[in-house]
Amino acid sequence: MRRAAALALVVLGTVACGAGQQATAPPPATTPAPATSDPGQATPESPTPAPTSTGPPAFSSKVSRVSREQLPYSWRPGCPVHYRDLRLVTLTFWGFDDKPHTGELVVRKTVTDDIETVFEKLYDWRWPIKQMKLVDAFKADDFDSIDANNTSAFNCRQATGSGNWSNHAYGEAIDINPQQNPYVTASGSTAHQNAKKFTERPMKGKGVINPGDKVVKAFAAVGWEWGGYWSGTKDYQHFSKGGG
């Protein structure tokens, strides 16, 4: 009996001690901060991406062998240079539209370095060229190629007004922007109507070549002479290895 009474008193004391207190939820768990080797050091930021260049591509060129099929009109048996001694130079040039383009020239294999050297300078200067196709695109018709203001090199033909081979037939000559730089007779005339306003020198204009300018000097540096220095007849478009 005494034991039962004692147990009752213990229960009542426990209830009395807990009266008036509200149960509380346990505090939320927190994620510990990641450990660092140096607590005082700031967290490094993500690297900033390098700026992307939006300028025009760099000059490029490629020299490759030429097949007979690539020269259906400009080469034939009896030409002073065999087509196996010619090379196709594919290169970038700066256009009249102020954009880079890819052109093709066929020259003798011995002068490919000259061509690449000069045309890299012209491209870096943003010196403009209208177009650059093989003369075979015009069935090797020199007049039609010139009338289209086409820059070209090899063409197995005779020199204008002569029975001798042109330096073009050896792959050692090039005509550049023939409309802006026409062939002009001693009397001051030209055979191409679209070139008549370009017969005088010096002259300002896009793609025009003048005496002593940087284009003439660039070719002279590799041993090529300019037809604009000829006496009497002037061939402002024409550059050739060693002249002629």
Side-chain angles (χ1 to χ4, degrees), residues 90-230:
T90 304
L91 52 79
T92 47
F93 68 91
W94 198 252
F96 273 33
D97 57 359
D98 293 325
K99 295 179 182 179
H101 298 271
T102 300
E104 294 181 326
L105 294 170
V106 168
V107 296
R108 197 167 188 166
K109 65 182 180 181
T110 54
V111 300
T112 56
D113 288 347
D114 296 347
I115 292 298
E116 290 179 296
T117 297
V118 171
F119 279 88
E120 182 174 9
K121 290 180 179 180
L122 299 188
Y123 182 79
D124 290 344
W125 293 332
R126 302 296 184 257
W127 195 84
I129 296 172
K130 179 61 177 178
Q131 65 171 327
M132 189 187 298
K133 299 178 181 179
L134 302 189
V135 75
D136 292 85
F138 304 89
K139 296 185 177 181
D141 189 310
D142 187 55
F143 188 95
D144 288 349
S145 179
I146 289 175
D147 228 33
N149 203 13
N150 181 55
T151 294
S152 66
F154 173 76
N155 192 3
C156 185
R157 64 174 178 82
Q158 294 179 338
T160 302
S162 169
N164 300 321
W165 289 115
S166 165
N167 272 18
H168 289 279
Y170 293 91
E172 295 182 345
I174 185 170
D175 292 337
I176 302 177
N177 292 341
Q179 179 180 337
Q180 288 73 30
N181 305 291
Y183 179 95
V184 182
T185 66
S187 64
S189 64
T190 181
H192 298 269
Q193 292 295 321
N194 61 6
K196 288 188 179 298
K197 66 179 181 180
F198 296 103
T199 56
E200 299 294 332
R201 288 297 184 274
M203 172 180 288
K204 292 182 178 180
K206 181 178 288 189
V208 171
I209 302 169
N210 282 296
D213 70 10
K214 58 186 179 181
V215 179
V216 175
K217 290 179 180 178
F219 274 100
V222 295
W224 290 54
E225 297 181 14
W226 182 45
Y229 287 147
W230 294 353

Side-chain angles (χ1 to χ4, degrees), residues 47-51:
T48 304

Side-chain angles (χ1 to χ4, degrees), residues 26-112:
T30 59
T31 303
T36 61
S37 58
D38 184 0
Q41 184 178 4
T43 303
E45 298 180 356
S46 300
T48 304
T52 301
S53 174
T54 57
F59 173 82
S60 65
S61 63
K62 176 184 177 182
V63 178
S64 54
R65 292 181 179 274
V66 181
S67 68
R68 176 69 181 91
E69 290 71 25
Q70 289 174 291
L71 309 175
Y73 303 102
S74 62
W75 186 90
R76 61 188 180 277
C79 291
V81 173
H82 200 281
Y83 73 84
R84 294 190 186 94
D85 293 324
L86 300 172
R87 293 294 182 267
L88 174 67
V89 183
T90 304
L91 52 79
T92 47
F93 68 91
W94 198 252
F96 273 33
D97 57 359
D98 293 325
K99 295 179 182 179
H101 298 271
T102 300
E104 294 181 326
L105 294 170
V106 168
V107 296
R108 197 167 188 166
K109 65 182 180 181
T110 54
V111 300
T112 56

